[in-house]
Amino acid sequence: MKLYCLSGHPTLPCNVLKFKSTTIMLDCGLDMTSTLNFLPLPLVQSPRLSKLPGWVLKDGSTFLDKELKECSGHVFVDSVPEFCLPETELLDLSTVDVILISNYHCMMALPYITEYTGFTGTVYATEPTVQIGRLLMEELVNSIERVPKAQSASMWKNKEVQRLLPAPLKDAVEVSMWRKCYTMPEVNSALSKIQLVGYSQKIELFGAVQVTPLSSGYALGSSNWIIQSHYEKVSYVSGSSLLTTHPQPMDQASLKNSDVLILTGLTQIPTANPDGMVGEFCSNLAMTVRNGGNVLVPCYPSGVIYDLLECLYQYIDSAGLSNVPFYFISPVANSSLEFSQIFAEWLCHNKQTKVYLPEPPFPHAELIQTNKLKHYPSIHGDFSNDFKQPCVVFTGHPSLRFGDVVHFMELWGKSSLNTVIFTEPDFSYLDALAPYQPLAMKCVYCPIDTRLNFIQVSKLLKEVQPLHVVCPEQYTQPPPTQSHRTDLMIDCQPPAMSYRRAEVLTLPYKRRYEKIEIMPDLADSLVPLEIKPGISLATVSAVLHTKDNKHVLQLPPKPPQPPASKKRKRVSDDVPECKSLKPLLSGSIPVDQFVQTLEKHGFSDVKVEDTAKGHIVLLQEAETLIQLEEDSTHIICDNDEPLRVKLRDLVLKFLQKF
Amino acid sequence: MPEIKVTPLGAGQDVGRSCILVSIAGKNVMLDCGMHMGYNDDRRFPDFSYITQNGRLTDFLDCVIISHFHLDHCGALPYFSEMVGYDGPIYMTHPTKAICPILLEDYRKITVDKKGETNFFTSQMIKDCMKKVVAVHLHQTVQVDEELEIKAYYAGHVLGAAMFQIKVGCESVVYTGDYNMTPDRHLGAAWIDKCRPDLLITESTYATTIRDSKRCRERDFLKKVHETVERGGKVLIPVFALGRAQELCILLETFWERMNLKAPIYFSTGLTEKANHYYKLFITWTNQKIRKTFVQRNMFEFKHIKAFDRAFADNPGPMVVFATPGMLHAGQSLQIFRKWAGNEKNMVIMPGYCVQGTVGHKILSGQRKLEMEGRQILEVKMQVEYMSFSAHADAKGIMQLIRQAEPRNVLLVHGEAKKMEFLKQKIEQEFHVSCFMPANGETTSILTNPCIPVDISLGLLKRETAIGPLPDAKRPKLMHGTLLMKDNSFRLVSPEQALKELGLAEHQLRFTCRVHIQDPRKEHETVLRVYNHLKGILKDYSVQHLPDGSITVESILIQATAHSEDQGTKVLLVSWTYQDEELGSYLTSLLKKGLPQSPP
């Protein structure tokens, strides 16, 4: 059993598990933090951005000034943003049989894998994961494609040049692997390879392995996966939550008795309490609006935004915000809001109950009906007519590098009345803001990450008791900025095995058994013999059939009847056809009883001699000698086949067959 | 030999009151718990006393499964769980769980409030009953207990309808409930994988019908409605609130839009809007097309179809009314029917199956004078049309499902005996599997032949499957192992490992036979002759002449010595272990025959 680790990002994993002749990719995360090194893509020509000075090397050379721009002491690549792909060279990805997706954030690299590596397998994911994943991809493609950028920078990627650049560009890893965004046809082609699955559905892979998605409690349709054969069980935990938000609660019980538990996707902000952050979010929002300022919430079009809208639904009236317009701007805003209402089966119990009434499970339906929440595909068109300030805008992308959010940052950044509230934990807010500095607008950081924290993890591990834990190396040491916080790491026995990008782990597990089926007629023919109290055994001689990795034992065919004709056969016809195996023997032969038996069968002249190791039984007339020892019997006789067979059978009566 | 027992308490050679008991590998499962529309007395519910005379149902039944929300499949549920008493789990899909209590409440209201019956389940009982329901996803494997598992498949018949696979070990049963093998305007087609159950219990409502294409039926339907409306007549379409109603509404809505028709379309009962809400929220259960376009245009928001008021029935001029219930056995549809029956300009279109004893069934079988309550005779002059829109599989569809699932046996329920007989023959002919059609209360036993799963040590398996010559059907390779049985575990290991695990030593059994051969030559020459002789015959065996003058055939040792008294006789000592018994025995008899004459 081997694990190939293709991603270094602990919450955007991409691993390949080789298990019982199947090759299974676990998630397909796309590391988008690389985009933070690029300049934002403004929807509307931004004079500030276009006037940024080109970057000049210390020695005064200016050959990079077209590619790199400087803003408040930071250097940015002036080009279409690029993403850091999972490792594609560590193993031949065309050999991957299946890809298991755990949640919609962890599938963003899918088109790169399915469209460029010769992948011919199947992708498994739940319906909400696919639908919302499609929306995220659509939004991504749309926000990058609608701002065509003339130039594409590549000179800076040259290893010799990169060495000369300031941090963080200098330290960026695998820049040669960075790729531009995929296109919509590629997305559609990738998604067409997905097969939908439901929680607790058992999916057979080639008869050898069974995979099962389990609810992970993190997002609509998010799942952990069990990968098991009859004897081995690997649990893949990715992005799980024990908090009660909108998705179905996490299924913990099914993770029990794992031989190996692969643990990824823990909270990125282990020190922040999501509930507290939501409270802070609301109060900051209310304060800004009351002071006449606008609030900008950079966010993904699905996920935490549903919970934020639900909180605001309960909060706005009591906070006196009923007249403040809430705008949700995304090319997929409408779809996201609509889709959230039709996945009743994937929601927590309370929301399911509402659907039974039948009422929409999320209260944003009511916010829309009462015109408190309005959604638009982009800032162009209807939005510009309806736009009223002060207001609250939810829009993407959380990296602040593309999407409508860039426009609002440019628009509102100069006034200290306005506030940008960061709720998504995927990007460092300081890095995100860097190309907008200097900034007058207030910045509030309320990261809401509902994924497991270390306390919950240690409780979970105690509960489900895996034999071995495997996790990204980041989880086996305290965060680099808080090296004293030894509580912010995984603590388990035996210590977790850690992996890093481009590493191959051999998982400590040895298979010893396999399932085989005994056909009923063969079972009927078996004769069990009790060897010790409670333990019986039967010798089995059977024909093994193996098909689709399933093994079946059948009754051996009856030997063909000897031909009736008396025609003289050639000698060689009598040669025993195949070496038919005889059972092993065990036991010992008590000499007195053996002699008695011999006498009973008509041997009158039996004589016994003692030897160092046992006895010799002599049949004088037949000139036959039988050596009896603790663990062996030797019959030495003349070529008298009937006699030999008789003696053989008498000996066998005293022995057990295996 | 293990067997699966099936006893229909309802729907055995009958339509209505579906309720089937299945015993499989020591587990008892009840499939559906329906009521019969044709009866108003005790016969409307299944006879649950059959299940157990004394003792609680909960102790006897491991679980109850409801296939879909139609009352002939779930109508007796609150009576069963609350009045007879059952506290075990009840499984159904999410949409069924959502809609079922509403239809039950509706049914209760009609029975208790309108007909004034007293000994009937209450609203509270419906609520308590629904608390025992566990909702299942499609394709989710639900572990009822350690051994019993169930899995739901899409059945298409109505929103949330499912077929269920019931599995214990390697024995399994599939129950279809009602299903539809062709997608319609709002639902997809039933689907099941090649799960090869021991038994397939299938509905057979349309056992003998092969329906023409859906398009034709739809065109026919629209033509009839259109003609009637054109000549100023009224069209009554009795339907159940959920299901066919939505399909026909989508059909009429698009037709009205296209033809720019003005005659009003009404939908009776307050259920309408609610019903459409269910379709909107459970849109993932509808067909591909509706699911794909729902964000832009939700098919369940109707422009031309308005809520019906009782007073509208007396309005002059043409109109189309959808009214519940669908079999004209009670409620609004029956009221409107009585009002309109006398006018030959009007038309009633029955879009689905009608159970015996209902007004719907009577008019469809040609009866034109109906005796109503109070001995009143109602003369039916309006046109009566029947159009099979009910989403059951027809004979072709049933055969198609059997082909998909590949069951070892088939059992027919939910159909009429005569038609079943025909289908049974067809199934037996085409698939060569046994087909059963028990009547209510009659038990069918099906023998199963389950395999016995055991654990085989990987070492032994690898030894056996190691790449060797390609398998030959004529000379099957035998594998030899020892089956260790301890407690309930069965393990197949190599004999060596079995000995080792039990702490036993192997006992060597060896034979040495003296074979006398007449040969005056020197010993080593005799040996050479023996060697050549054996080499010539035992072509497939490894025969070796060792430097010390002995011969081995595989592991059998042959040594030659001169006879102590007779120089012309040589003694061959042939020695082998019990493991080589066959070959050793063969060799001695071969050598006994002597050596062939040496070439001159």
Side-chain angles (χ1 to χ4, degrees):
Chain A
M1 198 172 356
K2 281 202 163 135
L3 189 70
Y4 297 73
C5 312
L6 310 185
S7 159
H9 196 300
T11 28
L12 297 167
C14 181
N15 295 316
V16 173
L17 179 71
K18 285 208 178 193
F19 176 39
K20 271 194 88 179
S21 72
T22 55
T23 305
I24 302 170
M25 180 179 275
L26 306 169
D27 276 333
C28 231
L30 183 63
D31 187 350
M32 293 202 238
T33 50
S34 56
T35 59
L36 293 174
N37 295 298
F38 292 77
L39 273 189
L41 287 179
L43 276 174
V44 184
Q45 178 79 28
S46 154
R48 185 186 69 86
L49 285 172
S50 48
K51 275 190 223 140
L52 286 177
W55 184 70
V56 183
L57 263 78
K58 277 194 197 101
D59 64 3
S61 6
T62 57
F63 68 97
L64 281 170
D65 70 342
K66 291 270 183 308
E67 291 202 349
L68 302 180
K69 303 280 173 183
E70 196 167 347
C71 175
S72 307
H74 287 84
V75 177
F76 297 95
V77 182
D78 187 12
S79 173
V80 186
E82 295 179 341
F83 309 120
C84 179
L85 265 56
E87 209 64 40
T88 49
E89 304 293 317
L90 196 59
L91 82 161
D92 180 1
L93 292 178
S94 69
T95 62
V96 171
D97 298 311
V98 295
I99 302 178
L100 309 180
I101 303 290
S102 50
N103 63 67
Y104 45 76
H105 287 301
C106 290
M107 63 185 280
M108 298 300 279
L110 196 61
Y112 294 118
I113 304 292
T114 60
E115 307 308 301
Y116 291 102
T117 64
F119 171 79
T120 53
T122 312
V123 185
Y124 291 99
T126 63
E127 183 165 9
T129 300
V130 178
Q131 300 294 5
I132 297 172
R134 177 196 298 275
L135 298 182
L136 292 183
M137 289 180 177
E138 244 179 80
E139 189 192 57
L140 186 67
V141 173
N142 183 296
S143 44
I144 288 178
E145 283 186 350
R146 69 181 166 163
V147 191
K149 193 113 181 159
Q151 75 159 353
S152 156
S154 58
M155 225 189 313
W156 70 277
K157 288 185 181 178
N158 184 308
K159 275 215 168 76
E160 292 307 307
V161 178
Q162 199 198 349
R163 268 193 316 121
L164 307 171
L165 304 182
L169 276 179
K170 185 172 69 180
D171 308 319
V173 287
E174 312 265 3
V175 288
S176 59
M177 301 268 297
W178 290 13
R179 291 283 175 276
K180 285 189 200 120
C181 189
Y182 34 73
T183 62
M184 239 13 239
E186 285 165 351
V187 169
N188 288 329
S189 168
L191 295 180
S192 71
K193 294 173 174 118
I194 299 184
Q195 194 166 322
L196 299 183
V197 293
Y199 289 150
S200 304
Q201 179 176 347
K202 294 178 179 170
I203 304 136
E204 287 280 338
L205 304 183
F206 317 108
V209 176
Q210 198 180 55
V211 296
T212 311
L214 304 173
S215 175
S216 78
Y218 166 58
L220 267 175
S222 70
S223 22
N224 293 323
W225 290 84
I226 302 282
I227 302 125
Q228 63 188 340
S229 68
H230 288 291
Y231 302 94
E232 302 86 17
K233 177 169 173 180
V234 178
S235 294
Y236 174 59
V237 174
S238 166
S240 300
S241 176
L242 291 170
L243 298 180
T244 322
T245 57
H246 56 273
Q248 215 181 86
M250 176 181 178
D251 178 352
Q252 294 184 67
S254 308
L255 298 173
K256 278 186 185 162
N257 304 320
S258 305
D259 298 300
V260 174
L261 186 136
I262 303 170
L263 185 61
T264 66
L266 304 185
T267 177
Q268 303 187 72
I269 321 288
T271 46
N273 167 356
D275 281 333
M277 289 295 135
V278 172
E280 234 170 89
F281 168 81
C282 287
S283 58
N284 276 298
L285 182 144
M287 198 145 63
T288 305
V289 176
R290 272 195 218 110
N291 293 334
N294 301 295
V295 175
L296 178 62
V297 187
C299 62
Y300 293 113
S302 177
V304 174
I305 186 170
Y306 302 144
D307 298 315
L308 291 179
L309 289 174
E310 184 153 3
C311 282
L312 291 172
Y313 168 80
Q314 288 153 1
Y315 182 74
I316 45 179
D317 287 330
S318 63
L321 303 174
S322 0
N323 296 319
V324 180
F326 286 76
Y327 301 119
F328 176 16
I329 304 169
S330 160
V332 298
N334 186 27
S335 299
S336 166
L337 294 171
E338 288 286 338
F339 269 114
S340 67
Q341 306 287 21
I342 65 160
F343 292 126
E345 295 160 270
W346 309 85
L347 294 172
C348 64
H349 181 75
N350 278 344
K351 297 222 175 301
Q352 266 180 15
T353 319
K354 283 186 87 175
V355 174
Y356 290 167
L357 291 177
E359 278 172 20
F362 284 97
H364 53 239
E366 199 183 319
L367 287 176
I368 295 168
Q369 230 167 30
T370 53
N371 261 330
K372 285 176 180 155
L373 173 68
K374 292 185 183 176
H375 54 83
Y376 303 89
S378 88
I379 53 167
H380 301 297
D382 290 346
F383 176 71
S384 36
N385 304 327
D386 300 353
F387 183 42
K388 274 191 210 92
Q389 306 193 60
C391 65
V392 179
V393 170
F394 294 88
T395 188
H397 185 272
S399 66
L400 305 191
R401 292 301 180 272
F402 43 85
D404 296 278
V405 73
V406 175
H407 175 75
F408 288 100
M409 284 304 295
E410 295 288 336
L411 185 70
W412 291 341
K414 293 165 215 97
S415 163
S416 59
L417 280 178
N418 303 326
T419 307
V420 52
I421 310 183
F422 292 89
T423 55
E424 303 286 357
D426 287 355
F427 301 92
S428 144
Y429 79 105
L430 290 174
D431 291 346
L433 289 171
Y436 298 95
Q437 300 291 3
L439 210 56
M441 125 193 256
K442 274 200 294 288
C443 305
V444 179
Y445 185 49
C446 305
I448 298 169
D449 195 332
T450 57
R451 286 172 280 210
L452 297 176
N453 62 36
F454 290 99
I455 300 168
Q456 292 164 330
V457 166
S458 73
K459 236 168 116 186
L460 175 75
L461 292 181
K462 262 188 207 117
E463 183 98 5
V464 305
Q465 300 270 356
L467 287 183
H468 301 279
V469 176
V470 177
C471 67
E473 61 173 351
Q474 290 92 332
Y475 296 160
T476 56
Q477 58 217 19
T481 51
Q482 293 155 293
S483 53
H484 62 288
R485 291 290 299 269
T486 48
D487 57 324
L488 300 184
M489 57 185 273
I490 290 177
D491 179 25
C492 63
Q493 275 313 320
M497 299 178 67
S498 70
Y499 66 81
R500 63 175 74 177
R501 188 177 168 110
E503 221 171 31
V504 183
L505 297 190
T506 303
L507 299 184
Y509 197 75
K510 199 158 163 44
R511 299 196 295 125
R512 293 179 54 212
Y513 284 100
E514 182 64 85
K515 210 65 162 183
I516 197 165
E517 282 188 346
I518 296 188
M519 293 294 279
D521 45 353
L522 174 63
D524 282 345
S525 75
L526 297 179
V527 189
L529 179 76
E530 189 161 25
I531 287 287
K532 288 180 179 176
I535 305 179
S536 309
L537 62 83
T539 56
V540 182
S541 287
V543 178
L544 174 69
H545 281 267
T546 300
K547 195 180 163 193
D548 298 338
N549 286 316
K550 298 256 182 270
H551 310 291
V552 177
L553 279 183
Q554 290 179 345
L555 210 54
K558 292 206 180 77
Q561 295 293 316
S565 71
K566 284 184 179 167
K567 221 199 283 176
R568 196 171 168 273
K569 289 180 291 177
R570 285 188 304 137
V571 196
S572 59
D573 285 348
D574 291 336
V575 177
E577 284 239 330
C578 52
K579 214 177 145 193
S580 71
L581 273 158
K582 285 285 181 216
L584 293 185
L585 304 172
S586 179
S588 59
I589 298 170
V591 70
D592 297 341
Q593 286 177 37
F594 182 61
V595 170
Q596 279 171 24
T597 313
L598 286 175
E599 283 166 352
K600 220 187 278 169
H601 282 81
F603 297 96
S604 49
D605 54 348
V606 184
K607 206 178 136 201
V608 180
E609 285 172 16
D610 287 354
T611 65
K613 283 182 173 171
H615 310 274
I616 291 182
V617 179
L618 279 166
L619 307 179
Q620 289 167 332
E621 192 190 334
E623 287 188 50
T624 293
L625 191 137
I626 304 163
Q627 291 176 350
L628 294 179
E629 285 176 14
E630 176 71 27
D631 286 327
S632 68
T633 301
H634 194 168
I635 299 174
I636 302 161
C637 61
D638 267 341
N639 193 3
D640 179 353
E641 188 66 4
L643 172 71
R644 189 188 67 82
V645 169
K646 193 170 177 185
L647 290 175
R648 178 193 74 192
D649 292 343
L650 289 179
V651 168
L652 286 179
K653 270 190 194 158
F654 288 93
L655 298 173
Q656 290 150 350
K657 298 185 184 68
F658 283 82
Chain B
M1 191 92 65
E3 55 182 14
I4 297 175
K5 284 187 183 170
V6 183
T7 315
L9 298 185
Q13 303 182 3
D14 185 19
V15 175
R17 204 178 66 179
S18 279
C19 184
I20 298 136
L21 287 178
V22 173
S23 299
I24 169 170
K27 304 284 170 187
N28 297 311
V29 178
M30 188 164 104
L31 304 168
D32 279 338
C33 187
M35 51 82 82
H36 202 296
M37 315 252 182
Y39 301 115
N40 279 323
D41 51 23
D42 280 351
R43 288 172 296 173
R44 71 178 155 209
F45 291 148
D47 178 13
F48 297 115
S49 65
Y50 178 92
I51 301 175
T52 166
Q53 296 296 331
N54 35 30
R56 288 153 22 109
L57 288 172
T58 317
D59 300 331
F60 185 79
L61 289 173
D62 292 282
C63 74
V64 173
I65 294 171
I66 302 295
S67 64
H68 63 285
F69 60 63
H70 277 157
L71 289 173
D72 57 332
H73 292 261
C74 70
L77 199 56
Y79 169 76
F80 165 76
S81 74
E82 305 311 307
M83 297 173 79
V84 185
Y86 169 76
D87 298 318
I90 302 168
Y91 294 96
M92 52 178 84
T93 65
H94 283 271
T96 309
K97 186 180 173 188
I99 296 165
C100 177
I102 294 171
L103 296 186
L104 286 170
E105 180 59 27
D106 208 44
Y107 171 42
R108 189 197 67 81
K109 265 193 203 143
I110 290 176
T111 315
V112 177
D113 300 354
K114 296 238 170 85
K115 294 190 191 155
E117 285 192 40
T118 46
N119 188 21
F120 207 72
F121 54 78
T122 63
S123 295
Q124 189 55 43
M125 285 175 184
I126 298 176
K127 280 183 194 142
D128 293 339
C129 165
M130 293 314 289
K131 282 183 194 146
K132 297 171 185 169
V133 171
V134 181
V136 301
H137 291 253
L138 280 183
H139 302 166
Q140 171 191 7
T141 303
V142 180
Q143 213 73 46
V144 177
D145 59 34
E146 294 228 326
E147 288 107 34
L148 174 62
E149 57 180 51
I150 62 172
K151 179 176 176 182
Y153 290 93
Y154 191 78
H157 174 68
V158 287
L159 195 73
M163 309 191 273
F164 279 88
Q165 181 192 44
I166 300 108
K167 198 170 166 194
V168 184
C170 47
E171 293 172 81
S172 66
V173 173
V174 168
Y175 172 60
T176 64
D178 293 355
Y179 63 103
N180 185 11
M181 294 299 283
T182 45
D184 62 27
R185 273 176 193 268
H186 72 306
L187 297 174
W191 178 86
I192 194 160
D193 51 16
K194 207 173 274 313
C195 55
R196 299 195 176 95
D198 292 297
L199 175 66
L200 174 76
I201 304 176
T202 172
E203 66 134 325
S204 50
T205 324
Y206 290 117
T208 55
T209 321
I210 292 184
R211 284 178 294 178
D212 44 7
S213 92
K214 191 107 192 177
R215 296 269 156 214
C216 293
R217 254 176 298 148
E218 287 176 0
R219 209 178 313 129
D220 223 27
F221 169 78
L222 292 171
K223 196 173 142 217
K224 276 175 184 148
V225 172
H226 192 194
E227 278 169 6
T228 310
V229 173
E230 285 288 277
R231 66 167 179 260
K234 297 176 168 64
V235 182
L236 170 65
I237 310 171
V239 287
F240 288 100
L242 288 126
R244 258 358 70 199
Q246 277 69 28
E247 185 187 1
L248 296 177
C249 283
I250 294 175
L251 193 61
L252 278 190
E253 168 92 7
T254 37
F255 186 71
W256 249 238
E257 184 96 21
R258 201 174 71 222
M259 305 294 286
N260 201 17
L261 297 180
K262 292 285 174 275
I265 308 175
Y266 297 114
F267 200 120
S268 83
T269 87
L271 263 178
T272 339
E273 207 152 323
K274 233 178 171 182
N276 292 339
H277 259 305
Y278 281 116
Y279 278 86
K280 281 188 221 167
L281 293 172
F282 286 110
I283 210 127
T284 54
W285 284 79
T286 59
N287 69 23
Q288 278 288 335
K289 194 180 152 205
I290 293 185
R291 281 158 59 181
K292 265 208 169 128
T293 56
F294 92 104
V295 177
Q296 290 79 42
R297 165 160 165 52
N298 201 314
M299 289 295 271
F300 298 104
E301 274 160 18
F302 300 117
K303 261 195 342 211
H304 296 273
I305 301 169
K306 293 173 193 80
F308 181 73
D309 187 289
R310 197 177 294 188
F312 293 172
D314 298 321
N315 284 0
M319 68 174 84
V320 180
V321 175
F322 289 96
T324 57
M327 298 189 194
L328 286 179
H329 57 281
Q332 201 153 33
S333 63
L334 186 59
Q335 279 174 22
I336 301 172
F337 174 75
R338 287 166 80 162
K339 275 199 178 139
W340 293 356
N343 189 338
E344 60 272 14
K345 271 207 295 191
N346 297 341
M347 178 183 282
V348 58
I349 300 181
M350 307 296 300
Y353 184 87
C354 290
V355 163
Q356 248 183 7
T358 59
V359 172
H361 188 266
K362 285 178 193 155
I363 58 169
L364 281 185
S365 48
Q367 221 174 310
R368 286 296 174 263
K369 288 202 168 129
L370 302 173
E371 190 176 330
M372 306 306 276
E373 290 144 49
R375 297 260 163 109
Q376 205 184 333
I377 300 287
L378 179 72
E379 197 169 344
V380 182
K381 288 188 184 153
M382 76 197 296
Q383 294 177 53
V384 178
E385 292 290 344
Y386 171 68
M387 245 168 239
S388 154
F389 273 99
S390 63
H392 292 277
D394 61 4
K396 222 163 86 190
I398 296 170
M399 301 300 270
Q400 199 184 333
L401 187 86
I402 296 175
R403 208 165 294 126
Q404 265 183 29
E406 280 191 8
R408 296 190 184 88
N409 298 277
V410 177
L411 189 144
L412 304 177
V413 294
H414 201 280
E416 290 160 28
K418 250 193 241 153
K419 296 181 180 175
M420 278 184 180
E421 198 73 62
F422 174 82
L423 184 66
K424 172 176 144 73
Q425 275 176 15
K426 228 179 124 187
I427 290 170
E428 286 177 339
Q429 264 170 25
E430 191 166 335
F431 298 105
H432 308 289
V433 297
S434 312
C435 184
F436 305 88
M437 41 173 285
N440 286 334
E442 189 186 320
T443 302
T444 301
S445 294
I446 286 143
L447 290 181
T448 59
N449 217 352
C451 294
I452 295 150
V454 304
D455 300 346
I456 183 169
S457 84
L458 211 56
L460 178 63
L461 184 67
K462 285 206 170 147
R463 188 166 87 187
E464 295 301 326
T465 51
I467 300 163
L470 284 173
D472 181 350
K474 281 187 200 148
R475 288 188 186 184
K477 197 175 152 197
L478 278 186
M479 84 170 265
H480 186 78
T482 302
L483 188 63
L484 282 175
M485 289 162 272
K486 190 177 162 187
D487 303 325
N488 270 330
S489 86
F490 289 68
R491 286 185 306 132
L492 187 61
V493 298
S494 64
E496 294 85 354
Q497 191 184 339
L499 279 176
K500 206 171 139 195
E501 278 189 29
L502 294 168
L504 299 174
E506 190 193 337
H507 189 105
Q508 278 269 354
L509 176 57
R510 178 168 277 283
F511 305 96
T512 302
C513 263
R514 294 184 288 265
V515 184
H516 298 254
I517 285 186
Q518 298 300 321
D519 188 21
R521 275 165 251 236
K522 292 223 168 106
E523 272 162 43
H524 70 267
E525 284 173 32
T526 313
V527 170
L528 203 61
R529 287 185 69 202
V530 171
Y531 170 68
N532 286 332
H533 177 51
L534 295 179
K535 186 98 179 157
I537 289 175
L538 299 168
K539 291 205 170 62
D540 294 342
Y541 292 84
S542 118
V543 182
Q544 283 181 311
H545 189 183
L546 301 181
D548 68 353
S550 53
I551 299 170
T552 57
V553 178
E554 301 287 324
S555 63
I556 295 172
L557 190 72
I558 303 172
Q559 285 170 310
T561 54
H563 199 276
S564 50
E565 291 147 27
D566 177 3
Q567 284 299 317
T569 305
K570 299 284 177 304
V571 180
L572 294 177
L573 288 174
V574 184
S575 180
W576 70 92
T577 64
Y578 179 59
Q579 271 61 43
D580 290 315
E581 172 70 6
E582 246 98 80
L583 188 59
S585 158
Y586 168 76
L587 276 181
T588 52
S589 56
L590 179 71
L591 292 171
K592 201 176 172 183
K593 288 181 192 145
L595 296 172
Q597 286 304 308
S598 56

